[in-house]
């Protein structure tokens, strides 16, 4: 069954371009109130244009998912009390193909953005009572086929693959414990 999300409060992280920007456009077109995030709001010109045309339905908030202090402040930038749908889309693609170019710094930085960022966003929003509760919420963490252990036919891309496998486990654990 096809379910249309309409008239809801939606948050999309990493929404200044690509998939995140398209999420924002689609949710606005369905009459949702949307919070879109960008690391640098001043450079998010397409989001600014959409906000100007949205009749107050789009809020642009600064968020750097690699920065725990930014994540801690983020719930206070959301103009509604309850979030019906949270899409953790912010991420980084590090497609180093060989082990020889994979470094500890690359692994840590990729995990920080792709795994720890979405987890901490969920943690802060749950602590602020913005997701979950009696109204319920949907949390969607954008992952990748490259995060599949079974479907890894090519190898390589160690940092990205490992961060997405870890995100899949974080998502599974969060769904069992935090949102019932």
């Amino acid at each position: 069954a096809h379910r249309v999300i309409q008239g809801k409060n939606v948050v999309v992280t990493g929404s200044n371009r690509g998939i995140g920007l398209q999420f924002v456009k689609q949710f606005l077109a369905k009459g949702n109130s949307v919070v879109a995030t960008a690391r640098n709001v001043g450079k998010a010109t397409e989001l600014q244009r959409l906000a100007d045309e949205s009749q107050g339905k789009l809020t642009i908030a600064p968020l750097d998912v690699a920065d725990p202090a930014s994540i801690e402040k983020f719930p206070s930038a959301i103009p509604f009390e309850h979030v019906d749908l949270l899409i953790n889309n912010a991420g980084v693609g590090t497609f180093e193909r060989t082990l020889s170019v994979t470094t500890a710094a690359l692994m840590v930085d990729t995990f920080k953005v792709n795994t720890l960022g979405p987890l901490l966003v969920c943690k802060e929003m749950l602590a602020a009572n913005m997701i979950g509760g009696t109204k319920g919420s949907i949390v969607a963490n954008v992952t990748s086929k490259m995060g599949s252990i079974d479907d890894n036919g090519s190898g390589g891309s160690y940092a990205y693959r490992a961060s997405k496998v870890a995100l899949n486990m974080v998502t599974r654990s969060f769904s069992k414990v935090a949102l019932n």
Side-chain angles (χ1 to χ4, degrees):
H2 183 76
R3 185 173 149 200
V4 176
I5 297 171
Q6 228 169 352
K8 302 290 186 182
N9 295 331
V10 178
V11 172
V12 182
T13 69
S15 47
N16 62 319
R17 63 187 174 95
I19 295 169
L21 181 60
Q22 191 59 39
F23 278 138
V24 171
K25 290 177 179 178
Q26 294 296 316
F27 286 120
L28 284 173
K30 299 290 183 206
N32 296 287
S33 295
V34 179
V35 173
T37 76
R39 280 179 299 188
N40 186 334
V41 172
K43 290 185 178 179
T45 54
E46 181 67 8
L47 282 178
Q48 298 287 353
R49 185 189 64 73
L50 287 171
D52 291 344
E53 298 170 358
S54 75
Q55 299 171 352
K57 290 281 195 182
L58 176 60
T59 301
I60 305 169
L63 177 63
D64 180 351
V65 298
D67 179 5
S70 176
I71 296 169
E72 285 177 25
K73 289 185 237 171
F74 176 58
S76 66
I78 298 173
F80 23 85
E81 290 180 16
H82 180 76
V83 173
D84 299 298
L85 173 61
L86 165 62
I87 300 177
N88 280 309
N89 174 68
V92 62
T94 55
F95 299 103
E96 78 298 338
R97 299 301 300 172
T98 64
L99 187 57
S100 64
V101 297
T102 302
T103 64
L106 178 66
M107 293 291 291
V108 169
D109 290 346
T110 306
F111 264 76
K112 199 172 187 182
V113 173
N114 291 354
T115 309
L116 190 56
L119 177 65
L120 293 180
V121 168
C122 289
K123 176 186 172 188
E124 293 301 325
M125 291 185 66
L126 193 62
N129 294 314
M130 296 185 125
I131 59 173
T134 57
K135 293 182 183 179
S137 299
I138 296 169
V139 174
N141 291 328
V142 177
T143 186
S144 168
K145 186 175 181 180
M146 289 181 77
S148 170
I149 292 173
D150 285 343
D151 194 10
N152 182 355
S154 62
S157 301
Y158 296 95
Y160 184 77
R161 285 184 189 278
S163 73
K164 291 298 185 173
V165 168
L167 177 61
N168 293 342
M169 185 56 72
V170 161
T171 302
R172 178 68 173 218
S173 293
F174 186 75
S175 72
K176 298 291 184 190
V177 177
L179 298 179
N180 296 323

